[in-house]
Amino acid sequence: MEDVLESKDFHFAREEERVMELWDQLDAFHEQEKRTRGMPEYVFYDGPPFATGLPHYGHILAGTIKDVVTRYATTTGHHVVRRFGWDCHGLPVEYEIDQKLGIKSKEDVYEMGIDKYNEECRSIVMRYSKEWEKTIKRVGRWIDFENDYKTLDPTFMESVWWVFQQLFQKGLVYKGFKVMPYSTACCTPLSNFEAGQNYKDVSDPAVMVSFPIVGDPENASFVAWTTTPWTLPSNLALCVNPEFTYVRVKDPAKGNIYVVAEARLSAIPGAVPKKKGKKDAGDAPAGFELLAKVKGSELAGTRYTPLFGYYTYLGTAFRVVADGYVTDDSGTGVVHCAPAFGEDDYRVCLQGGIIEKGGELPNPVDDSGRFTQQVSDFVGRQVKEADKDIIAMLKTMDRLVDSASIVHSYPFCWRSDTPLIYKAVPSWFVRVETIKERLLKNNSETYWVPNFVKEKRFHNWLENAHDWAVSRSRFWGTPIPIWASEDGEEVVCIGSVAELEELSGQKVGDLHRHFVDQITIPSKRGKGELRRVEDVFDCWFESGSMPYAQQHYPFENKEFFESNFPADFIAEGLDQTRGWFYTLMVLSTALFDKPPFKNLICNGLVLAADGKKMSKRLKNYPDPVELIHDIGADALRLYLCNSPVVRAEPLRFQRKGVSDVVKDVFLPWYNAYRFLVQNALRLEAAGLKPFNINDVDLSKVSNVLDRWILISSNSLVEFVRQEMDGYRLYTVMPYLVKFIDSLTNVYVRYNRKRLKGKTDEADCRASLATLYSVIMTLCKVMTPFTPFFVESMFQNLRHCKPYEPESVHFCSFPVATPSTEMEKRIELSVNRMQKVIELARIIRDRHAKPVKTPLRELTVVHPDDDFLSDLVGDLREYVTEEINVRTISSCNDPSKFANVRAEPEWASLGKRLGKDMGRVAKAVKGMGESDISMFESSGSISLEGHVLCTGDIKVVRDFKQPAGTSSEEIDAAGDGDVLVVLDLVPDESLIMAGLAREMVNRIQKMRKAAGLTITDKVDIYHEQLKEGPLDAIISSQIEYLEASLGTSVRPFSAKAADVEPLAVEEHVIGDAIHVKFILTTASKDGIPKATLESEVSNLNMDGH
């Protein structure tokens, strides 16, 4: 292995760039794909983004999730085809061109020419593709850009035609009207998904309007409320709730009689008397007079006088209909219906016979949102701008009951940022409602992370799904392949290029509108030429078709597709429950009655640090390219995978969070790796045989911590496999952090003497081989998550294993072996040992006894004899050194040092026991020592008619002060499982040892500050500056000092005059020993024979 930089000099981001160069040299991604050919296929679908904008954190997040899962699949013996996809059609592209060319309407496009317009669109669809490729590669995602798919490719478009023809032939396609969110700025309808992307709080007019009842003897009027006055010229009906009670009331001031819902009477100004105060007693209006009450169902069919005369010729209009969608939480309980401008309006008017399917639908608003000639009073006016004038006209007509304003959440166009309207548009539909039960069944067969998105959000969306409008009256998209006669009676749906060529007699290349609109098909019924309908597909239909279209199914790859459908895995954001996830599910169910995927990870939204949406304009988030350049892609990947966002929850993105991954994960991991490399190289530098991993049989290592860290490494492999098989990415990092802490702060820290060769050579090589094996395993386990960092380490580690593949990403994922009972015992004992050390430190801190101060005895109290045997046996050396105690004793009878009591685990028992909890809790607290002992040995006990098991009762051991002692002499700490008792009485010899330990610590820090390496030999001299017991300390602790420092500490007078010092520092040892230490280059006679080399701690893990 080659030496590596200190962590302060190691730059993770620059190292990642070097790794990228290596991958390019190896052609690593394609090489990995080649090596896995012939293995079982793992099918992954990549949802296509638009390339008209730059990638943001949402894209990086989804891409990281996809890369982690597909890398893992590859390392576990699968062949994974990873093709990048591009969404090339639709509104985002057209909007860009409209802005560029000043296109305001469809007429502008026709004037320009569809061919020129579409070619302008084609010219920008891949505008940022290189930036996308660069960013995605820099994040470490391996995906094929050369063999990508584009929704504008003729092969893709042909498969989309095939999909539609299949639906058409199954009777799942029809033409109708659909009231849809509509962008007047973009002159196009939007999907509900798109409409939900940009809601804003706005102030709109809120008016109450009277509708006189035809033939009413008292000239009564219905009062309806609306926040869209511009829809009133198109009013055709009023709707009431059949279950509500409606009242007929009289305004005594004006003599007007109104009909409104009883529950909403208070909304009418002056209808309900105000509570009288002292000042205005007798002056307050009395309110409206109640004349009668009637059920809403009785009002159905009542005719009323229309507001305007634009549609008076419609004999079926201007009647009251009844429907349960009318609520009593706002308005008057009477809803004005304009069927062309409201989804519910359209539905209830159709059900009530106000309009008919295929009949006239009054729709006096053009594509750009302006009134047509039908509404002569406001012709040419933009509808939202006409609100004020309509209200003014209502006032002059004496039909305005009240005019106010309301602040509410309203949808805006996600492209133009202008208010949307709801508008009926002719559309081609896919019948979703008829396959709803199959959709729900297929959804139940899929696995989602998190599950609640599938069971709640997506299930509810499917349960309430309506027929899907799949057409758009636009230009740049896949043309709907329907050719029809002029009267619409002869319709042909084309499913392939070959079919169109055969029926038309013309050669077909490109399938866009400007190539196929001119193609006609001779009628078979004598109706002349069949011409293509003008519409194109909604781009969501195209993306929902991608499983088939990316492979040009069924025209190519038929066998491969059919044997590998559905996909094993997809992943996108929470917003796609109503987008891509939905369209995939609808089409796969309609085509094959199967779900389109088996497993899905749904991520949440990445927000700015303040919880707001990330905004380029506000610059409220760190630039992703700069962040990766500064900190690194691996840190970003791990930060995202460890966040709530991979559980479909929002993430408030913070740069500090990415930096913390470096600090908390990568630096400790790197330091352990560097410690291995340094000490492996030290062997050769000391003239010994170079380190060779094959010299040690790790299955036969005897050191308990060697065995423990190998067992822990095996547990890590098992855990990561288990969690990755369950697609739970977010559980891996917490376990990884815990493992790295165990590796650095337990294994390396406790074994530093062995690793540095301070015991014997064979023991040193065993510990180095163990550490090597664990770090190599860790690299292979973490390849999916941190591909750069593990590659960097692997390239150095493989010098010891030249038979390993050229890249860590060509390696298989490690396989865990089942744990034996002995291994489980070792793992438990070492975990308990760590708890013992932690508790002993708590006692030291409580009494201000630093670790450098040696203590006489530590007693561990626990009923498990195996653990106590391990602690005073194999683990004794580690505990005595870490706690700095002279002896360790054990006690398996807790009653000698503790009073034992039982406490109920409220969280475990509360829900289960309910009202019995009080009685059971009292019984638990009343358990005696014998009861507790029996419970601990058997694992269960019956109390008050309930069987309580492990986890239901907490056994607490409270320290019992030994007779004749104080807490200043003997103190204890416990965690309910282990009790640690520490003798705090000072001892002269222990004090001397503590001061010697402090001397070693100061000298080691001098070495580090002087930039000395492990192999740099020095002589150490001391000069006492004040009277003190320095000589006594050195003479009594000479063996410890020489073993720790690699040389004796000699008086300054022994230093040769011509030797220049390497470092000189003054120190205070203890409270009273003032001394100056001088380090010089070692003379030949200055190195004790007993020591091979000096010990230096230039890693933070060396804590003393």
Side-chain angles (χ1 to χ4, degrees):
M1 290 185 288
E2 297 174 356
D3 202 1
V4 294
L5 297 170
E6 280 194 57
S7 56
K8 66 181 180 65
D9 299 320
F10 184 83
H11 197 292
F12 289 91
R14 298 296 78 73
E15 183 62 21
E16 288 177 356
E17 291 165 2
R18 285 188 282 273
V19 168
M20 287 184 68
E21 291 174 3
L22 170 70
W23 288 345
D24 287 341
Q25 292 167 14
L26 295 174
D27 193 17
F29 169 51
H30 293 108
E31 179 62 27
Q32 183 197 61
E33 189 272 331
K34 288 177 189 173
R35 291 181 181 221
T36 54
R37 286 178 193 170
M39 293 181 178
E41 293 291 337
Y42 181 90
V43 178
F44 156 69
Y45 293 156
D46 192 26
F50 289 102
T52 49
L54 293 170
H56 52 66
Y57 283 110
H59 298 119
I60 291 172
L61 165 65
T64 297
I65 292 170
K66 296 169 187 178
D67 189 60
V68 169
V69 172
T70 52
R71 281 183 183 272
Y72 173 74
T74 303
T75 63
T76 51
H78 298 89
H79 179 249
V80 187
V81 175
R82 286 162 276 182
R83 295 178 66 196
F84 200 79
W86 300 102
D87 206 340
C88 304
H89 291 144
L91 180 60
V93 182
E94 290 198 25
Y95 182 73
E96 293 277 337
I97 296 304
D98 290 350
Q99 294 295 298
K100 174 186 173 183
L101 303 179
I103 301 289
K104 300 295 184 185
S105 66
K106 287 184 180 178
E107 285 67 30
D108 292 343
V109 177
Y110 291 131
E111 186 177 335
M112 174 185 181
I114 296 176
D115 56 342
K116 293 184 177 64
Y117 181 83
N118 274 358
E119 291 306 324
E120 284 281 352
C121 290
R122 193 196 302 269
S123 71
I124 70 161
V125 293
M126 302 301 288
R127 178 196 294 163
Y128 294 116
S129 60
K130 291 303 177 186
E131 286 82 353
W132 271 83
E133 186 171 352
K134 182 179 179 182
T135 299
I136 286 170
K137 284 185 175 179
R138 183 60 189 86
V139 172
R141 185 180 178 193
W142 280 4
I143 192 160
D144 194 345
F145 282 99
E146 296 172 11
N147 187 33
D148 58 4
Y149 73 86
K150 302 179 183 72
T151 60
L152 59 69
D153 291 336
T155 53
F156 191 100
M157 296 169 72
E158 183 178 25
S159 289
V160 173
W161 277 12
W162 174 84
V163 169
F164 187 72
Q165 186 190 56
Q166 297 300 301
L167 304 184
F168 187 88
Q169 291 174 351
K170 292 183 179 194
L172 294 176
V173 173
Y174 69 94
K175 188 176 184 182
F177 281 100
K178 172 81 169 176
V179 177
M180 301 180 70
Y182 190 90
S183 170
T184 57
C186 297
C187 303
T188 189
L190 305 179
S191 66
N192 286 324
F193 164 68
E194 290 170 313
Q197 289 186 314
N198 188 19
Y199 268 81
K200 297 183 182 183
D201 287 335
V202 296
S203 177
D204 272 329
V207 297
M208 292 184 185
V209 183
S210 65
F211 293 83
I213 299 172
V214 174
D216 188 89
E218 296 177 298
N219 295 319
S221 298
F222 291 107
V223 178
W225 177 81
T226 182
T227 59
T228 54
W230 64 267
T231 62
L232 289 170
S234 306
N235 170 266
L236 296 187
L238 298 176
C239 189
V240 297
N241 190 307
E243 302 301 321
F244 288 177
T245 297
Y246 287 78
V247 292
R248 188 181 184 94
V249 293
K250 182 176 181 178
D251 179 357
K254 298 180 180 178
N256 295 329
I257 296 175
Y258 298 133
V259 177
V260 296
E262 182 178 31
R264 297 302 305 164
L265 181 60
S266 60
I268 311 295
V272 178
K274 294 181 179 179
K275 291 183 180 180
K276 295 181 180 181
K278 292 182 179 179
K279 292 183 179 180
D280 56 0
D283 298 329
F288 288 7
E289 178 187 354
L290 176 63
L291 301 178
K293 293 186 180 182
V294 65
K295 267 285 195 188
S297 56
E298 297 176 45
L299 296 174
T302 304
R303 302 190 70 84
Y304 63 88
T305 304
L307 282 173
F308 301 97
Y310 309 131
Y311 299 107
T312 52
Y313 60 88
L314 293 173
T316 56
F318 311 116
R319 287 185 291 110
V320 175
V321 295
D323 191 86
Y325 93 92
V326 178
T327 65
D328 60 3
D329 58 358
S330 61
T332 64
V334 180
V335 175
H336 126 75
C337 297
F341 303 112
E343 196 169 358
D344 283 315
D345 302 41
Y346 181 82
R347 178 180 58 80
V348 298
C349 285
L350 201 60
Q351 289 174 354
I354 305 296
I355 58 173
E356 295 180 358
K357 274 192 177 182
E360 181 181 353
L361 179 65
N363 185 356
V365 177
D366 67 15
D367 291 342
S368 59
R370 298 180 184 278
F371 282 116
T372 64
Q373 194 65 46
Q374 287 177 295
V375 178
S376 54
D377 296 297
F378 307 103
V379 64
R381 297 290 307 280
Q382 213 285 335
V383 292
K384 296 289 281 184
E385 294 173 1
D387 277 343
K388 290 182 180 178
D389 292 338
I390 292 172
I391 294 169
M393 181 175 282
L394 292 173
K395 190 171 184 180
T396 62
M397 295 163 59
D398 199 26
R399 302 288 287 272
L400 189 66
V401 176
D402 184 49
S403 180
S405 62
I406 183 174
V407 175
H408 61 161
S409 185
Y410 193 84
F412 277 63
C413 176
W414 64 284
R415 275 287 163 183
S416 63
D417 206 33
T418 55
L420 299 177
I421 64 171
Y422 281 80
K423 184 175 185 290
V425 292
S427 183
W428 291 91
F429 289 85
V430 170
R431 299 183 194 274
V432 175
E433 294 170 33
T434 60
I435 62 170
K436 190 179 296 184
E437 293 306 314
R438 287 155 58 197
L439 287 171
L440 293 169
K441 172 183 171 293
N442 286 334
N443 181 48
S444 70
E445 294 174 5
T446 60
Y447 174 80
W448 292 50
V449 173
N451 186 59
F452 75 82
V453 180
K454 167 192 166 182
E455 297 293 344
K456 301 292 184 183
R457 188 183 181 109
F458 194 60
H459 176 87
N460 293 343
W461 182 251
L462 293 178
E463 205 164 44
N464 296 292
H466 298 300
D467 289 354
W468 175 19
V470 297
S471 61
R472 294 291 181 267
S473 183
R474 298 299 299 174
F475 305 97
W476 179 241
T478 298
I480 288 191
I482 288 179
W483 271 255
S485 59
E486 191 172 345
D487 60 9
E489 291 185 1
E490 185 177 357
V491 176
V492 174
C493 184
I494 300 297
S496 69
V497 169
E499 184 181 4
L500 179 57
E501 289 180 340
E502 180 184 348
L503 293 177
S504 68
Q506 298 182 44
K507 193 68 180 170
V508 180
D510 196 305
L511 298 184
H512 287 94
R513 278 194 64 174
H514 52 298
F515 291 97
V516 300
D517 280 4
Q518 292 77 30
I519 297 175
T520 58
I521 297 175
S523 169
K524 293 182 178 179
R525 301 184 191 175
K527 292 180 179 289
E529 299 291 331
L530 308 187
R531 298 187 179 278
R532 198 191 69 79
V533 299
E534 286 195 346
D535 293 346
V536 298
F537 281 111
D538 172 14
C539 58
W540 288 107
F541 190 88
E542 294 180 310
S543 59
S545 301
M546 66 76 57
Y548 331 107
Q550 69 164 343
Q551 299 187 53
H552 196 206
Y553 178 83
F555 311 103
E556 296 181 76
N557 306 304
K558 192 171 189 294
E559 184 179 345
F560 177 85
F561 170 79
E562 291 175 358
S563 61
N564 290 287
F565 182 80
D568 292 287
F569 169 68
I570 67 170
E572 291 295 342
L574 187 62
D575 52 353
Q576 297 297 335
T577 50
R578 299 180 178 186
W580 191 49
F581 301 158
Y582 174 70
T583 61
L584 283 173
M585 185 65 77
V586 168
L587 293 182
S588 69
T589 299
L591 292 171
F592 303 110
D593 199 17
K594 291 181 180 180
F597 54 84
K598 300 173 187 174
N599 304 287
L600 182 153
I601 294 178
C602 184
N603 62 262
L605 295 177
V606 184
L607 305 174
D610 59 4
K612 295 179 181 177
K613 189 176 179 180
M614 287 186 170
S615 165
K616 291 180 183 177
R617 179 177 57 83
L618 297 176
K619 296 182 180 178
N620 60 350
Y621 62 93
D623 179 270
V625 174
E626 291 178 7
L627 182 139
I628 293 169
H629 179 269
D630 295 343
I631 304 175
D634 277 343
L636 176 58
R637 289 168 65 106
L638 214 50
Y639 171 68
L640 291 172
C641 289
N642 187 51
S643 73
V645 81
V646 292
R647 302 192 299 271
E649 297 171 20
L651 165 66
R652 295 188 174 195
F653 189 92
Q654 298 189 46
R655 182 186 175 100
K656 181 181 179 296
V658 183
S659 299
D660 286 346
V661 172
V662 175
K663 176 172 64 74
D664 299 336
V665 180
F666 292 152
L667 283 175
W669 187 358
Y670 180 80
N671 283 336
Y673 159 68
R674 180 169 180 264
F675 197 74
L676 164 69
V677 173
Q678 282 183 310
N679 286 288
L681 294 175
R682 176 196 52 76
L683 292 172
E684 193 170 359
L688 302 173
K689 179 184 175 184
F691 171 72
N692 187 333
I693 182 66
N694 298 313
D695 289 345
V696 179
D697 184 350
L698 291 176
S699 66
K700 296 179 180 178
V701 292
S702 58
N703 179 276
V704 65
L705 283 193
D706 287 351
R707 296 173 68 189
W708 168 74
I709 198 64
L710 290 169
I711 294 165
S712 298
S713 176
N714 186 67
S715 297
L716 173 72
V717 172
E718 184 178 29
F719 178 82
V720 175
R721 265 191 182 269
Q722 168 190 299
E723 297 307 290
M724 287 301 296
D725 288 345
Y727 295 86
R728 294 179 292 271
L729 278 59
Y730 52 87
T731 61
V732 172
M733 183 170 156
Y735 197 99
L736 173 69
V737 171
K738 182 180 175 183
F739 178 80
I740 290 176
D741 181 68
S742 296
L743 179 65
T744 57
N745 290 326
V746 179
Y747 183 77
V748 173
R749 177 188 173 96
Y750 295 3
N751 284 291
R752 56 192 179 276
K753 287 183 178 178
R754 297 176 61 228
L755 290 162
K756 292 177 178 180
K758 292 300 182 66
T759 49
D760 61 62
E761 186 181 340
D763 194 37
C764 171
R765 291 183 183 276
S767 62
L768 287 172
T770 299
L771 183 56
Y772 177 96
S773 174
V774 169
I775 292 177
M776 178 65 95
T777 298
L778 184 54
C779 286
K780 293 179 180 179
V781 166
M782 291 304 294
T783 51
F785 291 88
T786 57
F788 294 102
F789 187 40
V790 296
E791 186 73 274
S792 175
M793 290 184 285
F794 177 83
Q795 289 301 319
N796 199 22
L797 294 172
R798 71 184 286 265
H799 288 306
C800 298
K801 285 187 172 183
Y803 47 84
E804 287 277 7
E806 298 92 326
S807 167
V808 70
H809 300 287
F810 302 161
C811 298
S812 296
F813 197 88
V815 178
T817 56
S819 297
T820 64
E821 288 304 313
M822 177 55 71
E823 287 173 340
K824 291 176 183 176
R825 170 179 166 178
I826 290 172
E827 202 162 13
L828 181 61
S829 290
V830 173
N831 290 339
R832 282 174 171 165
M833 176 195 77
Q834 292 172 249
K835 181 56 69 174
V836 166
I837 292 169
E838 181 184 328
L839 293 169
R841 286 174 180 158
I842 289 172
I843 301 171
R844 280 184 170 278
D845 291 343
R846 190 186 297 158
H847 295 273
K849 299 277 188 184
V851 175
K852 65 185 179 184
T853 303
L855 295 175
R856 181 184 289 113
E857 184 180 18
L858 176 143
T859 303
V860 179
V861 183
H862 198 276
D864 186 341
D865 287 327
D866 286 341
F867 164 55
L868 295 177
S869 173
D870 291 340
L871 196 69
V872 299
D874 291 339
L875 298 173
R876 171 191 290 272
E877 175 189 352
Y878 299 112
V879 179
T880 55
E881 183 166 341
E882 284 300 310
I883 301 305
N884 196 11
V885 292
R886 182 153 295 177
T887 59
I888 296 179
S889 57
S890 62
C891 174
N892 65 357
D893 182 5
S895 63
K896 288 185 179 180
F897 287 94
N899 295 313
V900 184
R901 58 188 173 87
E903 290 282 348
E905 288 285 8
W906 296 93
S908 168
L909 295 173
K911 288 184 179 178
R912 199 171 88 214
L913 299 183
K915 62 182 180 180
D916 290 348
M917 183 65 204
R919 289 188 298 107
V920 173
K922 185 177 180 181
V924 170
K925 292 178 180 178
M927 289 170 65
E929 286 192 12
S930 60
D931 297 325
I932 294 172
S933 177
M934 184 173 65
F935 168 74
E936 288 191 308
S937 61
S938 66
S940 66
I941 191 170
S942 180
L943 295 173
E944 297 293 330
H946 294 275
V947 176
L948 306 188
C949 303
T950 304
D952 295 333
I953 297 175
K954 181 179 181 180
V955 177
V956 181
R957 292 178 172 84
D958 299 317
F959 177 53
K960 183 167 61 179
Q961 192 74 42
T965 68
S966 69
S967 61
E968 296 302 314
E969 297 170 317
I970 296 178
D971 201 1
D975 67 344
D977 177 36
V978 178
L979 183 69
V980 172
V981 182
L982 199 55
D983 185 343
L984 301 168
V985 178
D987 178 279
E988 186 64 30
S989 64
L990 295 179
I991 292 172
M992 288 288 190
L995 293 171
R997 193 180 181 110
E998 187 174 349
M999 281 178 59
V1000 169
N1001 179 265
R1002 303 296 178 84
I1003 293 169
Q1004 299 289 33
K1005 287 180 177 178
M1006 284 179 66
R1007 288 189 58 122
K1008 184 175 182 180
L1012 299 173
T1013 66
I1014 287 178
T1015 54
D1016 291 330
K1017 309 295 189 297
V1018 296
D1019 287 341
I1020 305 171
Y1021 302 94
H1022 68 84
E1023 181 179 357
Q1024 191 159 340
L1025 304 177
K1026 286 187 180 179
E1027 197 67 32
L1030 182 62
D1031 290 335
I1033 294 169
I1034 293 173
S1035 60
S1036 66
Q1037 304 294 320
I1038 189 167
E1039 289 185 5
Y1040 166 73
L1041 290 171
E1042 288 188 355
S1044 299
L1045 298 172
T1047 185
S1048 57
V1049 181
R1050 293 179 286 178
F1052 182 68
S1053 58
K1055 185 180 85 70
D1058 59 344
V1059 176
E1060 290 295 320
L1062 297 172
V1064 178
E1065 287 183 13
E1066 293 184 11
H1067 292 276
V1068 177
I1069 306 298
D1071 296 324
I1073 302 172
H1074 294 254
V1075 62
K1076 180 191 293 183
F1077 292 119
I1078 302 98
L1079 307 186
T1080 69
T1081 302
S1083 56
K1084 289 184 179 179
D1085 60 347
I1087 307 171
K1089 294 179 182 178
T1091 305
L1092 182 65
E1093 90 280 333
S1094 64
E1095 175 184 27
V1096 60
S1097 174
N1098 47 10
L1099 291 175
N1100 292 333
M1101 63 189 70
D1102 194 348
H1104 304 295

